[in-house]
Amino acid sequence: MNKIYAQALLLSSLLPAAAVHAAVPTYDYKVVRSYPHDPQAFTQGLLYRDGFLYESTGLNGKSSIRKVDLASGKVLQSQSIPPQYFGEGLTASGDTLVGITWQSQTGFVFDLKTFEVKSQFAYPGEGWGLANNGKELILSDGSATLRFLDPKTFLEVRRVKVTADGIAVDQLNELEVVEGEIFANIWHTNTIARIDQNTGKITGWIDFGKLYPDAGKGANADNVMNGIAYDAAKKRLFVTGKLWPKIYEVKIIPRK
């Protein structure tokens, strides 16, 4: 069975079960506001820091990190990643930005102000999403496992298996820590999982199926939802996708 198809079947089976049994509740959303987004940006990582968005983009030869003005969508600063690397997740750590790559087992540490590469580090396996919980970096690799890394040494300190009603859920992609929970895009779906970072249990699904009707369609079916950023000071949640023309500020609401 095709892995993507299998994942779609898993989600389709879990979401109705959550609605019926309330074991894993499903949430809806309300769009508060939308903002322009570069439709050529193959978004891999997104974060909010000090009034600006920081974004990483993927594809070999097109990967970059960017500082973006939220209101206008204008790219204020950018740094290309060497063409042999396929850029993936991005997070902030102290006065640096930390980015990972897909299959090169290589991460980069960038100066937050200048985007100069300060150092590189290695990790086993693939790199998909990256987030920071204030004590550890959290890395997804496409599997059902989240790895927690020491932010100074980048060595793994622990890991959790992500499950919904005891069933492992893989294809975990871009990550963000929101009020102590991990929010994770499920690749090739319009669903975000809310994950307890201590147990790995999914505490809720957020259904964004109607947010961007063109997601996963057209000549480039990879234009799927991917990108979560959180403004902790103002409690604002932002979401977008690869090659999407907008970033959406959303409010999560219980499904009625």
Side-chain angles (χ1 to χ4, degrees), residues 12 43 163 171 180 183 195 252 254:
S12 65
T43 306
T163 61
Q171 304 294 293
F183 279 32
I195 304 167
I252 306 306

Side-chain angles (χ1 to χ4, degrees), residues 32-206:
V32 177
R33 186 176 175 185
S34 63
Y35 305 86
H37 180 241
D38 179 5
Q40 302 301 313
F42 198 79
T43 306
Q44 300 289 68
L46 191 70
L47 64 106
Y48 184 91
R49 172 79 179 255
D50 298 331
F52 299 97
L53 289 173
Y54 292 85
E55 181 176 21
S56 58
T57 66
L59 301 176
N60 292 96
K62 296 184 178 180
S63 297
S64 68
I65 62 168
R66 304 169 168 200
K67 180 179 181 179
V68 179
D69 177 69
L70 173 63
S72 67
K74 182 179 179 180
V75 177
L76 303 175
Q77 186 178 353
S78 66
Q79 173 67 54
S80 295
I81 296 172
Q84 66 268 34
Y85 297 107
F86 190 116
E88 286 281 351
L90 183 75
T91 194
S93 181
D95 60 356
T96 67
L97 293 169
V98 181
I100 53 176
T101 57
W102 180 26
Q103 295 179 315
S104 304
Q105 301 183 341
T106 302
F108 295 92
V109 180
F110 304 91
D111 183 274
L112 181 63
K113 292 184 178 180
T114 66
F115 283 8
E116 178 183 356
V117 177
K118 299 181 70 173
S119 62
Q120 295 181 208
F121 62 96
Y123 51 88
E126 295 185 355
W128 286 38
L130 195 66
N132 189 336
N133 66 8
K135 298 184 297 182
E136 304 149 312
L137 303 184
I138 309 165
L139 183 147
S140 64
D141 59 12
S143 73
T145 297
L146 293 176
R147 309 182 216 169
F148 293 74
L149 313 180
D150 183 293
K152 294 182 179 179
T153 66
F154 303 105
L155 296 176
E156 184 178 321
V157 294
R158 66 184 179 101
R159 58 174 57 191
V160 298
K161 184 177 182 179
V162 176
T163 61
D165 288 331
I167 301 173
V169 177
D170 63 5
Q171 304 294 293
L172 304 173
N173 204 357
E174 217 272 311
L175 307 174
E176 182 68 71
V177 176
V178 179
E179 299 297 318
E181 285 186 309
I182 299 170
F183 279 32
N185 283 120
I186 308 296
W187 188 51
H188 271 286
T189 78
N190 292 310
T191 302
I192 287 178
R194 301 174 64 165
I195 304 167
D196 184 306
Q197 61 179 306
N198 294 313
T199 66
K201 292 182 179 180
I202 292 178
T203 61
W205 304 104
I206 310 173

Side-chain angles (χ1 to χ4, degrees), residues 186-236:
I186 308 296
W187 188 51
H188 271 286
T189 78
N190 292 310
T191 302
I192 287 178
R194 301 174 64 165
I195 304 167
D196 184 306
Q197 61 179 306
N198 294 313
T199 66
K201 292 182 179 180
I202 292 178
T203 61
W205 304 104
I206 310 173
D207 181 5
F208 286 99
K210 297 180 180 179
L211 181 61
Y212 183 60
D214 291 335
K217 298 178 182 178
N220 189 337
D222 280 336
N223 64 339
V224 294
M225 189 174 193
N226 202 52
I228 311 168
Y230 186 59
D231 173 7
K234 296 183 179 179
K235 300 189 183 302
R236 295 186 296 172

